[in-house]
Amino acid sequence: YVPILHRLVQHGLRGNWEKGCPVDKLLNKMKVPHEIHGDAPLLESSNVQRKVLVFVIGGITQTEISLFAEMGKIIFKNRYDFHVGSTEITTGNELIKAVCPCVASKSVKGRL
């Protein structure tokens, strides 16, 4: 499983966010404004490492942050160095409380 956020960033870095492409259609359907700033994507043969800032408005989990580092190493062969920022770090307990409040209220306090 790879979260959609990571797939969107992956497609963006490969230059697949052009007007009319599947990612563009998906983001438009979801009414998500989007654009990429900076140079064109790196060619597969390039040895230059670029820094990429991914900033999430809302929560992101520690696992999702770690996955960006793995993407940089495995998928992009160290051509990208990801830096992730967010307005909030979401924990598993917070996620359960937000998505399933009835489950959270039945659990023993402090244990989920």
Side-chain angles (χ1 to χ4, degrees):
Y1 165 76
V2 178
I4 191 168
L5 170 64
H6 295 77
R7 290 293 185 203
L8 290 171
V9 170
Q10 179 184 1
H11 283 284
L13 291 173
R14 290 198 167 141
N16 296 327
W17 279 22
E18 290 91 15
K19 192 169 191 118
C21 74
V23 174
D24 179 57
K25 289 177 184 176
L26 172 66
L27 293 174
N28 286 335
K29 186 174 184 178
M30 293 169 41
K31 297 182 178 159
V32 175
H34 58 282
E35 60 184 90
I36 296 176
H37 295 277
D39 298 331
L42 289 178
L43 299 173
E44 295 295 322
S45 62
S46 176
N47 290 329
V48 176
Q49 185 182 48
R50 294 202 180 153
K51 295 182 185 307
V52 176
L53 172 64
V54 177
F55 193 87
V56 178
I57 298 174
I60 188 167
T61 66
Q62 194 63 44
T63 302
E64 291 170 320
I65 293 169
S66 298
L67 187 53
F68 275 111
E70 293 302 311
M71 269 179 60
K73 291 176 190 171
I74 297 168
I75 294 174
F76 292 109
K77 298 177 176 67
N78 289 317
R79 289 187 309 266
Y80 292 103
D81 181 22
F82 288 96
H83 299 268
V84 181
S86 178
T87 56
E88 183 177 335
I89 300 294
T90 303
T91 65
N93 289 347
E94 291 168 339
L95 185 61
I96 290 173
K97 287 177 188 175
V99 175
C100 305
C102 61
V103 172
S105 66
K106 291 180 182 179
S107 65
V108 177
K109 189 173 184 171
R111 291 180 56 207
L112 284 178

